[in-house]
Amino acid sequence: MIRVPAEQQGVLSEAWRACVGTGRLELALRRDYQDSLTLLQKEIGFRHIRGHGLFSDGMGVYRPYEWQGARRVHHSFTYVDQVVDACLELGIRPFLELGFMPGELASGGQTVFWWQGNVTPPSSHREWADLVRATLTHLVDRYGLEEVRDWPVEVWNEPDLPDFWEGADQAAYHRLYEVTAHAVKDVDASLQVGGPAVSPGADEGWLGRFAEFVERRDLPVDFVSRHAYTSGPAQPVPFGTYQTLAPAERLLEQFGAPRRELKGTSLAELPVHITEFNSSYRPDNPVHDTAFHAAYLAPVLAAGGDLVDSFSYWTFSDMFEEVGVPTALFHGGFGLLTHRQVRKPTYHLYAFMARMGRDVLARGDDHLVTRHPDGRVTVLAWAPPRTDLHTLRLSVPVGDTERGTVFLRRSSVDEERGNAYTAWRRMGSPRSPRPHQLDMLHDAAEPGRSHLRLAIEEFRVDVDLTLQRHEVTLVELSPVIEESPDWWDESRILGGGGSG
Amino acid sequence: MIRVPAEQQGVLSEAWRACVGTGRLELALRRDYQDSLTLLQKEIGFRHIRGHGLFSDGMGVYRPYEWQGARRVHHSFTYVDQVVDACLELGIRPFLELGFMPGELASGGQTVFWWQGNVTPPSSHREWADLVRATLTHLVDRYGLEEVRDWPVEVWNEPDLPDFWEGADQAAYHRLYEVTAHAVKDVDASLQVGGPAVSPGADEGWLGRFAEFVERRDLPVDFVSRHAYTSGPAQPVPFGTYQTLAPAERLLEQFGAPRRELKGTSLAELPVHITEFNSSYRPDNPVHDTAFHAAYLAPVLAAGGDLVDSFSYWTFSDMFEEVGVPTALFHGGFGLLTHRQVRKPTYHLYAFMARMGRDVLARGDDHLVTRHPDGRVTVLAWAPPRTDLHTLRLSVPVGDTERGTVFLRRSSVDEERGNAYTAWRRMGSPRSPRPHQLDMLHDAAEPGRSHLRLAIEEFRVDVDLTLQRHEVTLVELSPVIEESPDWWDESRILGGGGSG
Amino acid sequence: MIRVPAEQQGVLSEAWRACVGTGRLELALRRDYQDSLTLLQKEIGFRHIRGHGLFSDGMGVYRPYEWQGARRVHHSFTYVDQVVDACLELGIRPFLELGFMPGELASGGQTVFWWQGNVTPPSSHREWADLVRATLTHLVDRYGLEEVRDWPVEVWNEPDLPDFWEGADQAAYHRLYEVTAHAVKDVDASLQVGGPAVSPGADEGWLGRFAEFVERRDLPVDFVSRHAYTSGPAQPVPFGTYQTLAPAERLLEQFGAPRRELKGTSLAELPVHITEFNSSYRPDNPVHDTAFHAAYLAPVLAAGGDLVDSFSYWTFSDMFEEVGVPTALFHGGFGLLTHRQVRKPTYHLYAFMARMGRDVLARGDDHLVTRHPDGRVTVLAWAPPRTDLHTLRLSVPVGDTERGTVFLRRSSVDEERGNAYTAWRRMGSPRSPRPHQLDMLHDAAEPGRSHLRLAIEEFRVDVDLTLQRHEVTLVELSPVIEESPDWWDESRILGGGGSG
Amino acid sequence: MIRVPAEQQGVLSEAWRACVGTGRLELALRRDYQDSLTLLQKEIGFRHIRGHGLFSDGMGVYRPYEWQGARRVHHSFTYVDQVVDACLELGIRPFLELGFMPGELASGGQTVFWWQGNVTPPSSHREWADLVRATLTHLVDRYGLEEVRDWPVEVWNEPDLPDFWEGADQAAYHRLYEVTAHAVKDVDASLQVGGPAVSPGADEGWLGRFAEFVERRDLPVDFVSRHAYTSGPAQPVPFGTYQTLAPAERLLEQFGAPRRELKGTSLAELPVHITEFNSSYRPDNPVHDTAFHAAYLAPVLAAGGDLVDSFSYWTFSDMFEEVGVPTALFHGGFGLLTHRQVRKPTYHLYAFMARMGRDVLARGDDHLVTRHPDGRVTVLAWAPPRTDLHTLRLSVPVGDTERGTVFLRRSSVDEERGNAYTAWRRMGSPRSPRPHQLDMLHDAAEPGRSHLRLAIEEFRVDVDLTLQRHEVTLVELSPVIEESPDWWDESRILGGGGSG
């Protein structure tokens, strides 16, 4: 029996929902994407959203042309505005990632992904700076400085990987950073700019050398960013990948890396954003669809906020095309939601987190206990990976009532409950489910719910939890105000013994 | 083990959803009412809706006035049109009940209900006929004859009870019927008119004497109507009532009464509409809120269509004010839905019925088995009242596949599952629940869902059902088309053994 | 030519939209009402809403009962919560009027209106105080003190009229005020209470004697309230009333009355709320439906905020039943909107006001000029009543551009434009319009719109306005940022001269 | 004065709305696209929708892979299903165009458009046939044969142009047609297949040789298709094109071409579908945005149905990317609607057509008169291109009332009214309008409306129309049923002469 203290031990950081990842921004034009984002914002409520491809050709921003013999450039925001309008309307703000390179501004032809993002440096740094300035200026004009000041601006994505930045050329990245940071600050000094958005594979020197560079050149930098993943090498099958996974604590270690590596530099005190994290970095690894995945990430969500200012789940929706158009409803996509808004177990983990209170009362290997300002206590608990049954007993303080009762509501996802993936497998893995199958999948994705009443003894209740394999469970406790009248007699209700 | 035949035994009549009852028509102007009706129509889909008070003062139809010394009458349809427009927009048609009496046309002051419906004969039968004609003419003008022809017109409500018709005066009712039936047919001979809408307490002579009267006077009559209830005398408590209940088969007996009583008369072959039925006739008997109630009515819904052309559950929503404004969310109202659209167990019984197929394969004391045109088989099963565990084993034919598998989805309501009432009691019976409590009640009202895969043996699967106390369960069987690829290997998904 | 100063002359008070009136609160349960409120809040955005009948029987709040021989009282908030939830969801807050008397708490049987509001003092002031306390306590529990503190609480309605308060008994009102004010402050001292909500017919002594009474008894009072109307005696026709109207400035005189009358008393500095105003106090005077009405009220809206803290248009919707259920779409109702959301000219006056800027640049007999924070200038102009053509020339400052152009958009309502009433008359005054007629009425209610470009000369443009009979017009000026490219050649667009 | 006959002269064919064009199908995944389609279907109601790119890579249908050394192909319908589901939900059905070539099935690398549709023949006709069969089989499985039978299947697009079909190779097209037609009929003989979808530039022999080929090979062919455009050579400017236009009657000539050319062949009696038509074939010609364009096309819509079974406006929305992402709200796109649903004049032409009756009473160079089943008469009239004022006088029969009055409603678009393009130009042509500018554009796009009452003389009214430059106007006439009461006295309404 773990005795949860009645006194607050700390505050639950909002870092877990400070940001979420998305497929390339062009996808935000889609209806399914926006339907998913609507649901997400209603039930979870992320603060920012970050994705690739702001400047990729599909967004149509950089538009050179000839007129009367001269070359000129339009900067066009037709789609940028549609995307940003949609996000703001749903209460989520851009975390701007500046990239990839417009085809006509690129110095080379190397691309990444099925959708061919160009990953080469600009052929003209002056034109790149114009593009950045024009974009930020437009956003400030349209949405107001007050608003845009709250959108971090990150320079490029994973420049330490040759797939994402031609030759993983550090000097070229530093130059891009310098030009970009100045361009951003030209628009307004209060805009936040940062980088270097390195991958978990970045050698240990990257962050340090970035610090050294910005220090030496006295460049503006408002935050530091890095990614985190824990999967092993990809073992491909058609339209899918299997991988090993390191234990979840490795994610937390990676979250801690920037502060460790930047200790002693002038960047040491800056906000740190993990601008992407997940178990596997593959958008076709079925692990993302499982209850295991929710149980695996639960301790990361519970603790990550101690280490960084944000850690952004990569990504909220399976509307994602880096390896092509998905060929089946469940295909191992990163999404918290499948196409057509079927909620995966990890979605529920986030939705459960969104119901936790501000004040932390206790935290352990398998649980987190919080209290809301109005006194309601909530418990998030999770089973250790690959364990069949797991028990947890908590003595929970429930406020200033010595006696009385508490209403306990429990919501669970595991291998059976809140698990559309299991249902889908049993249905025969229909690649493009029929409407009636989709309805069943939506039902199957509902968490299991149960409730009971507990007696308070000396300001506390005992909460005994048995967790099924890969269960993540949310327990919500509210004091009962009994309004049932004196004359209520359950035994007289059912009309028994009647002869009519 | 019950062996369900593979051959169709009959067709499932739509009588169970041919009509549903409602609180007085004026309530149809309300948002909560329309929200409930929207949900109802989406998930169940009734054909007609019937309620009191079309001509009561709250609808503002009969509007006499003086001008230049003469008395004239406006017939005003401001609210009638708003009500009918809303219904038709939601795909449900009026089953018109003509009554009660406009205050200014009434011959006396007797009223019924908290909302004071006047139950006295008209002071002028000529003006009453004008009112009926004007109303039907207006409806035909606005909605078209094709449409209105499909709306049965019933003359008054329960004239055999002195509470609903002054003195339960049969001769006065017959006169009203005569005047009304002629007025209806004056508008168009194809409109359907009927009565006498008697209560279950009507002495055995009422229907016969009605037949005799219409025969003697050669009056038009297109259908016969009656009500059915099974509760004993009311045992009042504040804002509530307890009652005994007769067994559910008494409802079916009552359904059969009109045909038995009219045998040999000229009305013998007419359609019979049970224009109201329920267990208790009290809108404040908590039995309506229970799982027991769903299990009690399940055999009635399964079999009622053999006896009558419609039987109309009284009523779809707790938005109902015959004994005053409800003082608590759960208050024993008739509604399938509470205010704010919490679904009661009996709602789910109807929603389960709406998922049954057209062809009946088997019917028993505790089950109904049907097949859809596309071959899917569905089973509705229910526990006998007040039994703790009940088992049922069925061998179900699943079509023309000798081998293979079937996906089984089971949805259940009982004392715990699909039962917001139980949750509400545990919460302390909050009379006006807070938003977060309402959310929990909506969740608690979701049926329990489970699914599994069954192996087909010789074109059949064995379905073993254990039913909890007062469980009503829906089992849906669909053949599995296996699309899972060769390379799928569940054991490789969870990333086990990885060192990252 | 009027030269509008470039410098701000003052700030446009929000008093004009601080509050709006409504039919009795029970009507807020209705769908049409909520649809109207939704539109209103989207296009105008009132802050508070005030209506009668919070405690009338239709709301079902006061619920005495007997149990075990004792009399007890439930205070029930089933409908209050539905009403307040709906308002808050639409961004409008209650301005609570405490009244009328629950039938079972009344000392007498006198009622007002078709819907029979009881206007007699409580039979028990203790139970009345309990009712008030229970209601405020419930609201604070449900919505939070922070929220409810912003809802003024007004004691009763027009107690100076014998129709609204038995015998117009001043002493009885003072007693009610005392008991009520204490009950409100018992719940929380920060709640705002006030009165005496007198009619324009109140003799001059009422306000002074109210001040004297609260002073003498040292009673809490946070604001003073009064009503304002300008119509003469009612000349009834069936379902309608004609009346003479005093000039609109009489409304402003009435707005000023409380401060004049309370000068020198301890109430002199309190906020003043005109909790009802309109031209005619009759809900069946067709003047409310006309363009004349908008032109008549325009100067009142433009200037009222100088005199009082709020002036509340009585009422936003024709969903209103004081003289019975309306018998025709246009029936002279108070509403800014008819049933089914047809916008009347006065609605547009309010919608135009909602587009005005914060800073007042000029104000005249026929115009108001304002500027938005972003520099856009707006002009509201109106024709004097019963004048066929009216001209107005303004030289308007448009910011810091010496040259360039301005885009002018003009929106007008008059006898033809933005005038569904005129269209409805031409259609034959259909009492219950068919759907296609309603569509046409909605179209006919759209303001006339036109636009043009004006050249800036020395930071100014000349705006020449000719107003039609009873026109109210909104002129919106925005500087043009010309983005049209060099190569645009309108003459080449239409494909002229082509031989294909 | 033109005397419109009272007798029906014919029936207005639905060919004008039998089909509408769309940008490539992938765009149907977008929210803005679906919002536009929703509006379109509500106000116009097309029957079918046709666009390119069903098999292009963005739809992700053809998905070859290797497994255990063998090459296999998945046919994947993730996006196809999302697109078709969305269309059917909005009441519009696919007109299937089979093309372009999946990259991995292509025999060459030639592409068309910014979005790179591959226009080369299949590298394997067997695999192409598999693809066609798999697609049709899937659609029939999902939507039912009854439904899919109503979706014409067209083989490729404009194979007579080397830009759309490598080398405009006729023999290769014939081979593709043969393989495809057989594949379609393999799925079900009742599916409709046709071609050859030739451009207006097809030399006269194409259709004849197609007929000859299918005859010789005895191939199934259920309809013949062709395109129609009237613009001259493109005169490019940056992001735009100017062109001359042939007179509109040339479009009608082109509509007639297939029947003329196929006379005497076995295809002579087949349905003819003009699967694309417009003035200019360029998606960046500003003519599409003008009032001129509506007036130009009005006679085509009025008469086209005499010549063909469908003529499909290319396209309904500016969400279209053949020459790249649009750089400004108005950019000369084909759309009836801009991005964000601003309605263009040609949209209104279609919306006016949708209000016309079934029976044609008269047709002229500048007008079309029809009658609805309920007797209402509607007139569509248009000004000749480039004429400043145009008058038209009609004597219109209004049914069986000799006397009485008629309500006339007139809706107009011209250079000022219903013309957001003009407003946008005056605003400075903002490329990405701000929200308040968009609101003004939506307002500016509303047709001008007016109404009046006309006296009937001998069953007729005189309708005098003066049309402004490029006006298209809809006149709707309904008999007035006068419900205005005796006592209505407009002169007493305005409260005149009052002293209050």
Side-chain angles (χ1 to χ4, degrees), chain B residues 309-430:
Chain B
D309 296 87
S310 75
F311 48 108
S312 178
Y313 187 77
W314 187 255
T315 62
F316 82 94
S317 164
D318 278 352
M319 185 57 76
F320 191 90
E321 298 178 341
E322 294 190 354
V323 298
V325 178
T327 60
L329 184 71
F330 282 100
H331 56 269
F334 290 122
L336 296 172
L337 292 163
T338 69
H339 290 182
R340 300 180 186 254
Q341 295 75 57
V342 176
R343 292 174 290 176
K344 299 186 190 174
T346 306
Y347 177 95
H348 290 302
L349 169 63
Y350 271 93
F352 290 170
M353 281 295 289
R355 298 185 71 87
M356 298 299 281
R358 196 190 53 193
D359 301 342
V360 174
L361 298 187
R363 199 143 57 175
D365 283 351
D366 54 4
H367 68 277
L368 171 68
V369 186
T370 64
R371 189 163 51 205
H372 285 269
D374 65 2
R376 283 177 297 123
V377 172
T378 47
V379 178
L380 183 74
W382 52 91
R386 307 182 192 93
T387 305
D388 271 337
L389 280 183
H390 177 73
T391 59
L392 173 64
R393 297 191 59 203
L394 300 168
S395 161
V396 179
V398 290
D400 46 11
T401 326
E402 193 176 348
R403 291 276 168 269
T405 56
V406 154
F407 179 74
L408 176 154
R409 201 257 295 245
R410 182 169 172 189
S411 308
S412 294
V413 299
D414 58 24
E415 295 292 334
E416 286 291 329
R417 294 173 293 169
N419 197 324
Y421 174 73
T422 298
W424 180 76
R425 292 281 299 147
R426 287 203 184 117
M427 279 179 183
S429 308

Side-chain angles (χ1 to χ4, degrees), chain C residues 78 129 141 181 269 282 325 334 397 449 458 489:
Chain C
T78 301
D141 281 355
E269 304 299 318
R282 290 286 313 177
V325 177
F334 290 123
R449 310 276 190 193
E458 292 181 23
D489 181 350

